[in-house]
Coordinates of all heavy atoms in Angstrom, one line a residue:
G110 N -36.7 106.7 -11.0 CA -36.7 106.7 -12.4 C -35.5 107.4 -13.0 O -35.4 107.7 -14.2
R111 N -34.4 107.6 -12.2 CA -33.2 108.3 -12.7 C -32.1 107.4 -13.2 O -31.2 107.8 -13.8 CB -32.7 109.2 -11.6 CG -33.6 110.3 -11.2 CD -33.0 111.2 -10.1 NE -32.9 110.6 -8.8 CZ -31.8 110.3 -8.2 NH1 -30.6 110.6 -8.8 NH2 -31.8 109.8 -7.0
A112 N -32.3 106.1 -12.9 CA -31.2 105.2 -13.3 C -31.7 103.8 -13.6 O -32.8 103.4 -13.0 CB -30.1 105.1 -12.2
D113 N -31.0 103.0 -14.4 CA -31.3 101.6 -14.6 C -30.4 100.7 -13.7 O -30.9 99.7 -13.2 CB -31.0 101.2 -16.1 CG -31.9 102.0 -17.0 OD1 -33.1 102.0 -16.9 OD2 -31.3 102.6 -17.9
I114 N -29.2 101.2 -13.4 CA -28.3 100.5 -12.6 C -27.6 101.5 -11.7 O -27.2 102.6 -12.1 CB -27.2 99.8 -13.4 CG1 -27.8 98.7 -14.4 CG2 -26.1 99.2 -12.6 CD1 -26.9 98.1 -15.4
V115 N -27.4 101.1 -10.4 CA -26.7 102.0 -9.4 C -25.6 101.2 -8.8 O -25.8 100.0 -8.4 CB -27.7 102.5 -8.3 CG1 -27.0 103.4 -7.4 CG2 -28.9 103.2 -9.0
I116 N -24.4 101.8 -8.7 CA -23.3 101.1 -8.2 C -22.8 101.8 -7.0 O -22.6 103.0 -7.0 CB -22.2 100.9 -9.2 CG1 -22.7 100.1 -10.4 CG2 -20.9 100.3 -8.6 CD1 -21.7 99.9 -11.5
G117 N -22.6 101.1 -5.9 CA -22.1 101.7 -4.6 C -20.6 102.0 -4.8 O -19.8 101.2 -5.1
A118 N -20.3 103.3 -4.5 CA -18.9 103.7 -4.6 C -18.3 103.8 -3.3 O -18.7 104.6 -2.4 CB -18.9 105.1 -5.3
R119 N -17.3 103.0 -3.0 CA -16.5 103.0 -1.8 C -15.6 104.2 -1.8 O -15.1 104.6 -2.8 CB -15.7 101.7 -1.6 CG -16.6 100.5 -1.5 CD -15.8 99.2 -1.8 NE -15.3 99.1 -3.2 CZ -14.6 98.1 -3.7 NH1 -14.3 97.1 -2.9 NH2 -14.3 98.1 -4.9
S120 N -15.3 104.7 -0.6 CA -14.3 105.8 -0.5 C -12.9 105.1 -0.4 O -12.4 104.8 0.6 CB -14.5 106.6 0.8 OG -13.5 107.6 0.9
I121 N -12.4 104.8 -1.6 CA -11.2 104.0 -1.7 C -10.0 104.5 -0.9 O -9.3 103.8 -0.2 CB -10.7 103.8 -3.2 CG1 -11.9 103.1 -4.0 CG2 -9.5 103.0 -3.3 CD1 -12.2 101.8 -3.6
A122 N -9.9 105.8 -0.9 CA -8.8 106.4 -0.2 C -8.9 106.2 1.3 O -7.8 106.2 2.0 CB -8.7 107.9 -0.5
Q123 N -10.1 105.9 1.8 CA -10.2 105.8 3.3 C -10.4 104.3 3.7 O -10.6 104.1 4.9 CB -11.5 106.6 3.7 CG -11.3 108.1 3.5 CD -12.6 108.8 3.9 OE1 -13.5 108.3 4.5 NE2 -12.6 110.1 3.6
V124 N -10.3 103.4 2.8 CA -10.4 102.0 3.1 C -9.0 101.5 3.6 O -8.0 101.4 2.9 CB -10.8 101.1 1.9 CG1 -10.8 99.6 2.3 CG2 -12.1 101.6 1.4
E125 N -8.9 101.3 4.9 CA -7.6 101.1 5.6 C -6.9 99.8 5.2 O -5.7 99.7 5.1 CB -7.8 101.1 7.1 CG -8.3 102.5 7.6 CD -8.4 102.5 9.1 OE1 -8.2 101.4 9.8 OE2 -8.7 103.5 9.7
H126 N -7.7 98.8 4.9 CA -7.1 97.5 4.6 C -6.7 97.4 3.1 O -6.1 96.3 2.7 CB -8.0 96.3 5.0 CG -9.3 96.3 4.2 ND1 -10.4 97.1 4.5 CD2 -9.7 95.6 3.1 CE1 -11.4 96.9 3.7 NE2 -11.0 96.0 2.8
F127 N -6.9 98.4 2.3 CA -6.4 98.4 0.9 C -5.0 99.0 0.9 O -4.7 100.0 1.5 CB -7.3 99.3 0.0 CG -8.6 98.6 -0.4 CD1 -8.9 97.4 0.1 CD2 -9.4 99.2 -1.4 CE1 -10.1 96.7 -0.4 CE2 -10.5 98.6 -1.9 CZ -10.9 97.4 -1.3
S128 N -4.1 98.3 0.3 CA -2.7 98.8 0.1 C -2.7 99.9 -0.8 O -3.6 100.2 -1.6 CB -1.8 97.7 -0.4 OG -2.2 97.3 -1.7
G129 N -1.6 100.7 -0.8 CA -1.4 101.8 -1.8 C -1.5 101.3 -3.2 O -2.1 102.0 -4.1
T130 N -0.9 100.2 -3.5 CA -0.9 99.7 -4.8 C -2.4 99.3 -5.3 O -2.8 99.6 -6.4 CB -0.1 98.4 -4.9 OG1 1.3 98.7 -4.6 CG2 -0.1 97.8 -6.4
K131 N -3.1 98.7 -4.4 CA -4.5 98.3 -4.7 C -5.4 99.5 -4.9 O -6.2 99.5 -5.8 CB -5.1 97.4 -3.6 CG -6.4 96.8 -3.9 CD -6.9 95.8 -2.9 CE -8.2 95.2 -3.2 NZ -8.7 94.2 -2.3
K132 N -5.2 100.6 -4.1 CA -5.9 101.8 -4.3 C -5.7 102.4 -5.6 O -6.6 102.9 -6.3 CB -5.6 102.8 -3.1 CG -6.1 102.4 -1.8 CD -5.7 103.4 -0.7 CE -6.2 102.9 0.7 NZ -5.8 103.9 1.8
L133 N -4.4 102.4 -6.0 CA -4.0 103.0 -7.3 C -4.6 102.2 -8.4 O -5.2 102.8 -9.4 CB -2.5 103.0 -7.4 CG -1.9 103.5 -8.8 CD1 -2.3 105.0 -9.0 CD2 -0.4 103.4 -8.8
L134 N -4.6 100.9 -8.3 CA -5.1 100.0 -9.4 C -6.6 100.2 -9.4 O -7.2 100.1 -10.5 CB -4.7 98.6 -9.1 CG -3.2 98.2 -9.3 CD1 -3.0 96.8 -8.9 CD2 -2.8 98.5 -10.8
Q135 N -7.3 100.3 -8.3 CA -8.7 100.5 -8.3 C -9.1 101.8 -9.1 O -10.0 101.8 -9.9 CB -9.3 100.6 -6.8 CG -9.2 99.3 -6.1 CD -10.4 98.4 -6.3 OE1 -11.1 98.6 -7.2 NE2 -10.5 97.4 -5.5
R136 N -8.4 102.9 -8.8 CA -8.7 104.1 -9.5 C -8.4 104.0 -11.0 O -9.2 104.5 -11.8 CB -7.8 105.3 -8.9 CG -8.2 105.6 -7.4 CD -7.5 106.9 -7.0 NE -7.7 107.2 -5.6 CZ -6.8 106.9 -4.7 NH1 -5.7 106.3 -5.0 NH2 -7.0 107.2 -3.4
L137 N -7.2 103.4 -11.3 CA -6.9 103.2 -12.7 C -7.9 102.4 -13.4 O -8.3 102.7 -14.6 CB -5.5 102.6 -12.8 CG -4.9 102.4 -14.2 CD1 -4.8 103.7 -15.0 CD2 -3.5 101.7 -14.2
G138 N -8.3 101.2 -12.8 CA -9.2 100.4 -13.4 C -10.6 101.0 -13.7 O -11.2 100.9 -14.7
S139 N -11.0 101.8 -12.7 CA -12.3 102.5 -12.9 C -12.2 103.5 -14.0 O -13.2 103.7 -14.7 CB -12.7 103.2 -11.5 OG -12.9 102.2 -10.5
W140 N -11.1 104.2 -14.1 CA -10.9 105.2 -15.2 C -10.9 104.5 -16.5 O -11.6 105.0 -17.5 CB -9.5 105.9 -15.0 CG -9.3 106.8 -16.1 CD1 -9.7 108.1 -16.3 CD2 -8.4 106.6 -17.3 NE1 -9.3 108.7 -17.4 CE2 -8.5 107.8 -18.1 CE3 -7.7 105.5 -17.7 CZ2 -7.8 107.9 -19.3 CZ3 -7.0 105.6 -18.9 CH2 -7.0 106.8 -19.7
V141 N -10.3 103.3 -16.7 CA -10.3 102.6 -18.0 C -11.7 102.2 -18.3 O -12.2 102.3 -19.4 CB -9.4 101.4 -17.9 CG1 -9.5 100.5 -19.1 CG2 -7.9 101.8 -17.7
V142 N -12.4 101.7 -17.3 CA -13.8 101.3 -17.5 C -14.7 102.4 -17.9 O -15.6 102.3 -18.8 CB -14.4 100.6 -16.3 CG1 -15.9 100.3 -16.4 CG2 -13.7 99.3 -16.0
R143 N -14.5 103.6 -17.3 CA -15.2 104.8 -17.7 C -15.0 105.1 -19.2 O -15.9 105.5 -19.9 CB -14.9 106.0 -16.8 CG -15.5 105.9 -15.4 CD -15.4 107.3 -14.7 NE -14.0 107.7 -14.4 CZ -13.3 107.3 -13.3 NH1 -13.9 106.6 -12.4 NH2 -12.1 107.7 -13.1
M144 N -13.7 105.0 -19.6 CA -13.4 105.3 -21.0 C -14.1 104.3 -21.9 O -14.6 104.7 -23.0 CB -11.9 105.3 -21.2 CG -11.1 106.4 -20.4 SD -11.6 108.1 -20.9 CE -12.7 108.5 -19.5
A145 N -14.1 103.0 -21.6 CA -14.6 102.0 -22.4 C -16.1 102.0 -22.4 O -16.7 101.5 -23.4 CB -14.1 100.6 -22.0
S146 N -16.7 102.4 -21.4 CA -18.2 102.3 -21.2 C -18.9 103.6 -21.5 O -20.2 103.7 -21.6 CB -18.6 101.8 -19.9 OG -18.2 102.7 -18.8
N147 N -18.2 104.7 -21.5 CA -18.8 106.1 -21.7 C -19.7 106.4 -20.5 O -20.8 106.9 -20.7 CB -19.5 106.2 -23.0 CG -18.6 106.1 -24.2 OD1 -17.5 106.7 -24.2 ND2 -19.0 105.4 -25.2
T148 N -19.3 106.0 -19.3 CA -20.1 106.3 -18.1 C -19.3 107.0 -17.1 O -18.1 107.3 -17.4 CB -20.6 104.9 -17.5 OG1 -19.4 104.2 -17.0 CG2 -21.4 104.1 -18.5
D149 N -19.9 107.4 -16.0 CA -19.2 108.1 -15.0 C -19.1 107.3 -13.7 O -19.1 107.8 -12.6 CB -20.0 109.4 -14.6 CG -20.0 110.4 -15.8 OD1 -19.0 110.5 -16.5 OD2 -21.1 111.0 -16.0
V150 N -19.0 106.0 -13.9 CA -18.9 105.1 -12.7 C -17.6 105.4 -11.9 O -16.5 105.5 -12.5 CB -18.9 103.6 -13.2 CG1 -18.6 102.7 -12.0 CG2 -20.2 103.3 -13.8
V151 N -17.8 105.6 -10.6 CA -16.7 105.9 -9.7 C -15.9 104.7 -9.3 O -14.7 104.7 -9.3 CB -17.2 106.7 -8.5 CG1 -16.1 107.1 -7.6 CG2 -17.9 108.0 -9.0
D152 N -16.6 103.7 -8.9 CA -15.9 102.5 -8.3 C -16.4 101.2 -9.1 O -17.3 100.5 -8.7 CB -16.3 102.4 -6.9 CG -15.6 101.2 -6.1 OD1 -14.7 100.6 -6.8 OD2 -15.9 100.9 -5.0
A153 N -15.8 101.0 -10.3 CA -16.3 99.9 -11.2 C -16.2 98.5 -10.6 O -17.0 97.7 -10.8 CB -15.5 100.0 -12.5
P154 N -15.2 98.2 -9.8 CA -15.1 96.8 -9.2 C -16.0 96.6 -8.1 O -16.1 95.4 -7.6 CB -13.6 96.8 -8.7 CG -12.9 97.9 -9.4 CD -13.9 98.9 -9.5
S155 N -16.8 97.6 -7.6 CA -17.7 97.4 -6.5 C -18.8 96.4 -6.8 O -19.4 96.4 -7.9 CB -18.3 98.7 -6.1 OG -19.4 98.5 -5.1
G156 N -19.0 95.4 -5.9 CA -20.0 94.4 -6.1 C -21.3 94.8 -5.5 O -22.3 94.1 -5.6
F157 N -21.4 95.9 -4.8 CA -22.6 96.4 -4.2 C -23.4 97.2 -5.2 O -23.1 98.4 -5.5 CB -22.3 97.2 -3.0 CG -23.4 97.5 -2.0 CD1 -24.3 96.5 -1.7 CD2 -23.5 98.7 -1.4 CE1 -25.4 96.7 -0.9 CE2 -24.6 99.0 -0.5 CZ -25.5 98.0 -0.2

Side-chain angles (χ1 to χ4, degrees):
R111 295 184 289 115
D113 300 305
I114 298 173
V115 181
I116 298 179
R119 297 163 292 183
S120 180
I121 299 298
Q123 298 178 7
V124 179
E125 296 180 357
H126 62 279
F127 279 9
S128 66
T130 302
K131 187 173 182 178
K132 291 178 181 179
L133 177 63
L134 290 174
Q135 292 276 13
R136 294 192 187 96
L137 180 60
S139 295
W140 176 81
V141 172
V142 171
R143 286 196 293 272
M144 296 300 102
S146 63
N147 294 320
T148 65
D149 296 322
V150 171
V151 177
D152 186 7
S155 171
F157 195 39

